[in-house]
Amino acid sequence: MKRSKPVSKGRCHEGASSAMLTGRVREYYYDHLAGRGYAFDTIARKTKAFFHTVENQQMCMLEWRNTTIESVIRENTDQCWYGKVC
């Protein structure tokens, strides 16, 4: 069996990490990090520093407290739900 080459730490993360990101994190990645040659650990550190602030924690807690089953259904009316024919 032929063994593939080991993945280098260089740019292997660029395609994978951007594909896994959504929402505000994806916007931050493309606006501030993508294409600048940062190593993966630098991208992770900068992203964490940007989002792990008191203000962001408070915003997340407010969103969490205001999330109800009704609001989830209302915001996802185009999705298939139990008992709904799609």
Side-chain angles (χ1 to χ4, degrees):
M1 179 164 97
K2 186 178 178 181
R3 297 183 73 175
S4 61
K5 292 181 182 179
V7 177
S8 68
K9 280 187 136 182
R11 300 189 182 277
C12 67
H13 62 83
E14 288 182 8
S17 60
S18 64
M20 293 185 294
L21 303 176
T22 61
R24 292 178 58 222
V25 177
R26 185 178 180 95
E27 290 176 24
Y28 175 76
Y29 174 79
Y30 282 111
D31 290 346
H32 301 281
L33 305 172
R36 292 195 165 91
Y38 291 131
F40 180 80
D41 59 334
T42 302
I43 290 172
R45 183 176 36 77
K46 286 180 171 286
T47 302
K48 183 177 180 180
F50 184 81
F51 285 99
H52 286 205
T53 63
V54 173
E55 292 83 12
N56 273 327
Q57 290 173 354
Q58 290 173 346
M59 187 173 56
C60 288
M61 287 304 297
L62 180 63
E63 182 179 343
W64 177 255
R65 288 184 188 123
N66 291 330
T67 301
T68 64
I69 188 66
E70 291 84 8
S71 67
V72 172
I73 292 171
R74 186 175 51 253
E75 292 167 8
N76 295 281
T77 56
D78 60 331
Q79 303 295 317
C80 292
W81 293 89
Y82 177 75
K84 178 181 176 186
V85 178
C86 297

